[in-house]
């Protein structure tokens, strides 16, 4: 009949004086076993969770952080490899797999995001430029209307946007000379015969950055006819601009 070592649980034959596994004296062993050996409590430590597996999952969730998904894939593979080599001392394979799946999901989504961006960004840029051009046209009309009011009270046109702004005939942003991606200025002021009041003026609105904040240039004068140059040239607008239909 055999007994089992109370230290390590190894089987001890009746003629053994010491446990062959840990060297504990056979006399310290318990009574003859009537069943399978019982592993002493506290001898086997619970498996720890792999830190790399945890890092993989966390990084996979932080998709909004640049290149976090790449780190999630790297830590996921390292975590799985570490767990498999640990012979049961480490756990967290599920965490590492989840991090890998999230990481690869974001990697695969990159081409899709780039394609969407390539389609959406030019459309958004064109929409913004169209909105800026509409605002510039409205501003030209507002300046013409302000010049008529200014002339009625000053017997001549204003030769600066600040004068119109000071008379509270245009808003502050327009009086500053720049609004919604367009720059505005009043030029070509011509005094009357008495050499004082301006009887002519020209207002021009051109994109601050051509093909970015707008494309067309708009201009007008005391005739209130608005002209357009589709190439963005201030000179061409005044000399050869097409009347707005």
């Amino acid at each position: 009949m055999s007994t089992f070592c109370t230290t390590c649980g190894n089987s001890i034959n009746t003629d053994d004086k010491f446990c062959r596994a840990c060297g504990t004296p056979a006399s310290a062993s318990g009574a003859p076993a009537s069943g399978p050996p019982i592993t002493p409590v506290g001898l086997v430590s619970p498996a720890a969770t792999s830190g790399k597996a945890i890092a993989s999952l966390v990084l996979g969730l932080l998709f909004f952080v640049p290149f976090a998904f790449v780190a999630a894939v790297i830590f996921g593979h390292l975590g799985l490899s570490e767990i498999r080599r640990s012979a049961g001392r480490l756990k967290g394979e599920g965490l590492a797999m989840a991090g890998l799946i999230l990481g690869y999901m974001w990697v695969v989504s990159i081409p899709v995001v780039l394609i969407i961006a390539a389609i959406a960004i030019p459309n958004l840029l064109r929409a913004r430029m169209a909105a800026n051009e509409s605002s510039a046209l409205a501003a030209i009309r507002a300046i013409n209307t302000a010049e008529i009011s200014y002339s009625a009270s000053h017997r001549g046109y204003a030769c600066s946007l600040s004068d119109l702004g000071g008379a509270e005939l245009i808003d502050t942003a327009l009086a500053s000379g720049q609004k919604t991606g367009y720059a505005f200025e009043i030029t070509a002021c011509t005094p009357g015969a008495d050499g004082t009041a301006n009887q002519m003026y020209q207002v021009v609105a051109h994109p601050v950055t051509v093909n970015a904040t707008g494309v067309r240039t708009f201009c007008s004068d005391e005739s209130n006819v608005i002209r357009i140059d589709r190439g963005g040239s201030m000179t061409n607008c005044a000399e050869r601009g097409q009347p707005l239909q």
Side-chain angles (χ1 to χ4, degrees):
M1 184 177 295
S2 62
T3 59
F4 295 94
C5 178
T6 57
T7 301
C8 66
N10 185 60
S11 176
I12 300 177
N13 296 327
T14 54
D15 56 345
D16 290 337
K17 294 183 179 181
F18 299 95
C19 173
R20 297 182 182 183
C22 66
T24 299
S27 58
S29 301
S34 59
I38 300 175
T39 302
V41 178
L43 294 179
V44 179
S45 301
T49 302
S50 169
K52 294 182 178 65
I54 297 174
S56 176
L57 178 60
V58 172
L59 290 168
L61 294 172
L62 298 177
F63 61 91
F64 49 86
V65 178
F67 303 107
F69 55 87
V70 177
V73 171
I74 294 173
F75 277 103
H77 283 295
L78 291 176
L80 286 177
S81 177
E82 181 180 60
I83 292 169
R84 289 166 184 166
R85 292 197 309 267
S86 70
R89 289 180 292 103
L90 292 175
K91 62 181 181 178
E93 186 172 0
L95 299 178
M97 289 298 298
L100 279 173
I101 292 172
L102 289 172
Y104 278 120
M105 182 180 69
W106 300 124
V107 170
V108 171
S109 68
I110 289 177
V112 178
V113 173
L114 292 178
I115 291 172
I116 294 174
I119 296 173
I121 290 176
N123 290 335
L124 290 174
L125 180 60
R126 284 192 292 269
R128 187 184 70 171
M129 289 192 295
N132 288 349
E133 290 185 354
S134 296
S135 176
L137 271 173
I140 288 287
R141 293 190 179 99
I143 292 172
N144 281 339
T145 301
E147 285 284 18
I148 293 172
S149 299
Y150 189 91
S151 177
S153 58
H154 293 77
R155 297 184 180 181
Y157 298 112
C159 200
S160 70
L161 292 170
S162 59
D163 288 341
L164 295 177
E168 298 184 352
L169 296 173
I170 58 175
D171 61 69
T172 305
L174 186 55
S176 70
Q178 188 168 317
K179 184 178 181 180
T180 60
Y182 267 75
F184 300 83
E185 59 181 301
I186 297 176
T187 60
C189 298
T190 303
D194 57 359
T196 55
N198 293 310
Q199 302 304 310
M200 299 176 66
Y201 74 91
Q202 183 179 80
V203 58
V204 180
H206 60 89
V208 174
T209 306
V210 179
N211 294 325
T213 61
V215 177
R216 300 180 295 176
T217 289
F218 306 98
C219 58
S220 187
D221 53 27
E222 68 281 352
S223 68
N224 287 331
V225 175
I226 299 178
R227 299 180 180 276
I228 302 172
D229 180 73
R230 301 184 184 281
S233 171
M234 297 172 58
T235 302
N236 289 344
C237 183
E239 296 178 353
R240 297 183 294 277
Q242 298 178 345
L244 179 65
Q245 300 298 322

